[in-house]
Amino acid sequence: MSHATPTSTRMSPADRGASATLPPMFTLTWWMPFAVFVPAYLLRLFSVELVRGPVEDMYMHVQNAFYYPATGLMGPDNWWTSPAKHFALRVAIALFGNDIVGWRLMSVILGALSVVVAALVARRLFRSVFPALATAALLALDPLGIAFSRTTFEDTTAVFVLLVAVLLWLRAMEEGRALDWVLCGVALGVATAFRTYAVIPLAIMLVATSVSKRRDDIARLALALTSLTLVAFCAYFVWWLPWFSRGYSLEEWLTLQSDALAVQGANFAGFNPALRRLVDPQGWLFSWVSLALHRSVAGREVVTMVTSDPFVWALFLPGVAYLLFRAINGRRVEWLFVGLSFLALYGFFALSPRPILLYSALVIVPFGCLALSFAADSLPGRWKWGLLSIATLWGLYLYPLAAGIAVPLQPYAWLLGRVASIGLGS
Amino acid sequence: MLSRFAKKWWLAPLVATILVAALLAAAQFIGMSSRSYLPEQQAATVRGPGEAYQSLRQAGLHGRIVVILDKQTDIVPRLYDREFMASLAASGTSAPFQPLNLASGLIETGIARTVYFVPPPSLRAAISQRLGSRWDAKTEPSGFSVRFNGAPVHVVLGDLNPSDFGEKVVVYANRDVLTDYDASLLTSLESTAVSDVLVIQDTP
């Protein structure tokens, strides 16, 4: 690794740090992850049992947590989703209890840990304290992340494992340790076993590794590529063994994979006719992800809303564009990976015909926050801290919605008028 | 130890390939050894799907292909009905949670891994219309297939060739509709080379 040159004083902190070792004040100390984790955890934990509304699939998640490890039965949960979540929830129930808090606590913890890991990714990527801090603040207050960290949906776990994989990949790319490559492959396989969309960053990582390490020792390259393919496959495949115990063969497994992929890419309007009222998913390409469910309870209209942060969401695309520009200019393959992962995941979901994008969007947010934090770091000091302050205040304003705390409609009426809504009757 | 291994990185693809092969072989072995067949063909007459289910369960069958010749059109449960989802929440956590019909009960308990539903020719058009509008139905050369809890349910609306199964199957048939089928199909399904269990529903 080369050291900073005198000309680097005109470069942004990210660029300066990219070619230099970190100054001591930015070196990770033992308390920093805790300082990030505690507020993120408390924001997700507060009244975690509160929402029991129709947005939840937790009853079928819990039933499958018992069925799948014991019998390999893929239902009543959606059979086209990957099965690692059933094991994870079963472990969570064993650790935290078989009640609504116990079912959700794993998501609370891993959702908060995702904030820590994303901050570590930002620090390693951009070698500057501001992007790490900004990424942590944006993700800690992200309403989509908070909402899903209070459910039993597997996306929170998938995103956490994927971020761990990204961190390991960055370390492996930089330091070349064999263990990092192998663990990165395992994490990618596990992330894919939680949500199939993790295969998109995996593919980008594979190409990025092949290109940037092509002049390395062939044996090292072989280890890297083996980890990202064969090791990842093993870590993906192992979760299906209970399904095989129902008498299935490898040929039938391949058909299942193909059918699951077809269903995941199909138009889900038949899933629930009410979803036809939602806006076209392409509408979310330049708008923020949100959904409001209207119900009438005892004569009162109750609205359950899940929304991303409109302010931060609007800044994602400019942030990614700036990151990609700098990545191409500076030939930084790791930065390119972040920008391309955002675009590939976003494009995949926005252009697919299925109208349910809420939980899929969760995986996009960390990549968007990384890009936005990097772009903000290039602003003059007052501006970037101002931007971060506004984003933080905005996140606090949205927090009651994210946490499902009952609030008067008036301060949020403008937002409710702009989100995709469906009625569920009484 | 790891650093010693690191010096032999070129071995990584070989080691990983062996690992993948071992895992795939283990999965295949688990699948094949989970199937249970009867040494000799058994035939049973039952009064309804409930009794048929009990009969197959008592025979100790697991991981089988089940061929159903019947007229019921709701062979594939409509999983996403709100009433059904509400019943799941109230049903506790002991399997089978909702024996909606014979096919779903057999799949949930692991007796069937794949179901072939062969409706009488007179019902094919109606079933084809219903399944054609399902968002998750897959078109196949002989009809449609949908999955219930991950298990394929093939709805055969054309010719069924029993020799294509490649293993002995369980046959369940409703006597009320048997005259509607081609006699050669029934003869071949009754053959000991094709089926090891024959269950005939005889309406009292």
Side-chain angles (χ1 to χ4, degrees):
Chain A
M1 185 182 292
S2 62
H3 291 276
T5 62
T7 55
S8 67
T9 51
R10 277 182 286 167
M11 299 163 84
S12 73
D15 281 331
R16 281 201 305 275
S19 56
T21 51
L22 282 171
M25 65 175 292
F26 299 146
T27 308
L28 193 68
T29 58
W30 66 269
W31 58 268
M32 282 183 179
F34 288 97
V36 173
F37 175 79
V38 170
Y41 176 72
L42 293 176
L43 284 166
R44 282 153 179 77
L45 184 68
F46 178 71
S47 295
V48 70
E49 78 293 348
L50 203 61
V51 179
R52 301 180 189 218
V55 290
E56 267 284 33
D57 287 344
M58 67 181 169
Y59 291 112
M60 68 181 192
H61 291 163
V62 171
Q63 292 207 24
N64 252 92
F66 286 93
Y67 292 162
Y68 185 78
T71 69
L73 184 67
M74 298 285 285
D77 200 348
N78 301 325
W79 61 265
W80 57 85
T81 56
S82 302
K85 59 179 172 180
H86 307 313
F87 284 96
L89 189 54
R90 186 69 190 87
V91 170
I93 288 170
L95 288 175
F96 306 123
N98 190 9
D99 56 26
I100 197 162
V101 176
W103 302 340
R104 292 173 171 175
L105 208 52
M106 181 183 65
S107 291
V108 170
I109 293 169
L110 295 184
L113 280 175
S114 297
V115 179
V116 178
V117 178
L120 294 174
V121 168
R123 179 181 162 275
R124 186 168 278 274
L125 263 177
F126 306 124
R127 300 282 170 173
S128 172
V129 76
F130 179 83
L133 188 64
T135 302
L138 293 174
L139 278 178
L141 284 164
D142 171 48
L144 204 64
I146 290 173
F148 279 103
S149 296
R150 298 156 69 82
T151 68
T152 53
F153 281 104
E154 65 271 30
D155 298 83
T156 311
T157 315
V159 170
F160 167 72
V161 182
L162 182 60
L163 286 169
V164 169
V166 173
L167 186 61
L168 287 164
W169 179 69
L170 292 173
R171 214 166 73 162
M173 288 283 278
E174 200 174 312
E175 297 167 19
R177 280 188 230 159
L179 187 61
D180 285 342
W181 280 118
V182 174
L183 290 179
C184 174
V186 170
L188 284 167
V190 172
T192 311
F194 275 97
R195 275 292 191 196
T196 319
Y197 52 57
V199 81
I200 295 174
L202 189 159
I204 297 170
M205 220 178 254
L206 194 59
V207 174
T209 306
S210 308
V211 170
S212 67
K213 299 287 178 192
R214 66 187 184 281
R215 292 197 181 88
D216 273 20
D217 170 28
I218 187 73
R220 283 169 186 255
L221 182 62
L223 175 74
L225 298 184
T226 301
S227 301
L228 297 180
T229 52
L230 297 178
V231 173
F233 174 79
C234 288
Y236 172 74
F237 185 80
V238 74
W239 305 95
W240 295 90
L241 290 179
W243 185 79
F244 281 94
S245 73
R246 298 182 75 78
Y248 292 107
S249 65
L250 286 172
E251 188 185 350
E252 287 167 312
W253 181 77
L254 287 172
T255 311
L256 177 76
Q257 300 298 302
S258 157
D259 287 354
L261 209 61
V263 168
Q264 289 187 61
N267 191 333
F268 270 42
F271 185 89
N272 180 347
L275 293 172
R276 290 201 184 98
R277 292 182 215 162
L278 289 175
V279 291
D280 192 324
Q282 281 91 326
W284 278 323
L285 193 56
F286 298 105
S287 179
W288 75 93
V289 173
S290 61
L291 177 67
L293 302 166
H294 296 254
R295 285 200 309 162
S296 179
V297 178
R300 288 173 59 211
E301 189 188 9
V302 175
V303 182
T304 308
M305 188 160 78
V306 184
T307 179
S308 57
D309 187 328
F311 174 68
V312 173
W313 195 269
L315 296 173
F316 277 168
L317 278 181
V320 169
Y322 179 75
L323 176 67
L324 285 174
F325 170 74
R326 295 289 304 277
I328 293 165
N329 258 6
R331 292 172 184 262
R332 298 298 305 271
V333 73
E334 296 90 347
W335 296 359
L336 202 60
F337 163 77
V338 172
L340 289 181
S341 292
F342 177 90
L343 286 182
L345 285 163
Y346 199 2
F348 177 75
F349 294 127
L351 299 173
S352 82
R354 55 178 295 188
I356 304 171
L357 197 66
L358 275 174
Y359 38 72
S360 306
L362 197 65
V363 70
I364 298 165
V365 176
F367 293 107
C369 288
L370 285 167
L372 177 57
S373 304
F374 170 75
D377 195 26
S378 302
L379 295 172
R382 194 181 298 170
W383 285 94
K384 69 181 177 188
W385 288 105
L387 185 70
L388 185 57
S389 305
I390 292 169
T392 305
L393 289 171
W394 186 257
L396 290 170
Y397 160 71
L398 292 175
Y399 177 70
L401 297 183
I405 298 166
V407 284
L409 200 58
Q410 194 56 32
Y412 300 97
W414 70 272
L415 186 62
L416 204 55
R418 288 168 174 78
V419 302
S421 299
I422 56 173
L424 292 177
S426 54
Chain B
M1 182 187 164
L2 202 67
S3 61
R4 194 175 294 173
F5 171 77
K7 288 171 190 167
K8 295 177 179 173
W9 282 352
W10 57 270
L11 279 175
L14 182 66
V15 172
T17 305
I18 292 169
L19 189 65
V20 169
L23 200 55
L24 294 178
Q28 184 76 0
F29 175 76
I30 290 170
M32 294 300 119
S33 61
S34 300
R35 298 176 186 177
S36 56
Y37 301 87
L38 299 184
E40 289 178 6
Q41 192 184 59
Q42 282 187 10
T45 304
V46 297
R47 281 172 294 181
E51 209 173 297
Y53 166 77
Q54 290 301 336
S55 147
L56 294 172
R57 195 165 169 80
Q58 280 166 12
L61 299 175
H62 189 266
R64 300 297 305 277
I65 294 175
V66 178
V67 180
I68 299 177
L69 284 76
D70 204 347
K71 62 187 172 187
Q72 62 183 112
T73 56
D74 60 341
I75 190 76
V76 183
R78 300 183 65 184
L79 184 60
Y80 305 111
D81 287 352
R82 187 182 295 180
E83 296 76 23
F84 176 62
M85 295 309 291
S87 73
L88 288 182
S91 65
T93 53
S94 59
F97 54 83
Q98 187 79 6
L100 285 177
N101 58 34
L102 180 64
S104 59
L106 294 178
I107 289 168
E108 283 157 15
T109 48
I111 294 171
R113 73 172 198 280
T114 301
V115 172
Y116 283 81
F117 172 56
V118 190
S122 59
L123 288 177
R124 286 179 183 174
I127 291 174
S128 174
Q129 193 177 13
R130 185 170 76 83
L131 286 177
S133 63
R134 268 185 78 117
W135 64 282
D136 56 346
K138 187 169 90 171
T139 307
E140 293 185 330
S142 61
F144 292 94
S145 77
V146 289
R147 284 185 181 265
F148 177 70
N149 289 343
V153 179
H154 302 275
V155 182
V156 182
L157 302 175
D159 294 332
L160 177 72
N161 186 1
S163 60
D164 289 347
F165 292 130
E167 64 181 80
K168 286 189 178 180
V169 300
V170 176
V171 177
Y172 171 90
N174 186 342
R175 196 184 295 277
D176 287 350
V177 293
L178 282 185
T179 51
D180 292 355
Y181 294 93
D182 183 20
S184 63
L185 172 68
L186 299 176
T187 307
S188 60
L189 285 173
E190 282 172 0
S191 155
T192 52
V194 171
S195 61
D196 61 348
V197 180
L198 281 172
V199 180
I200 306 295
Q201 182 190 325
D202 216 348
T203 310

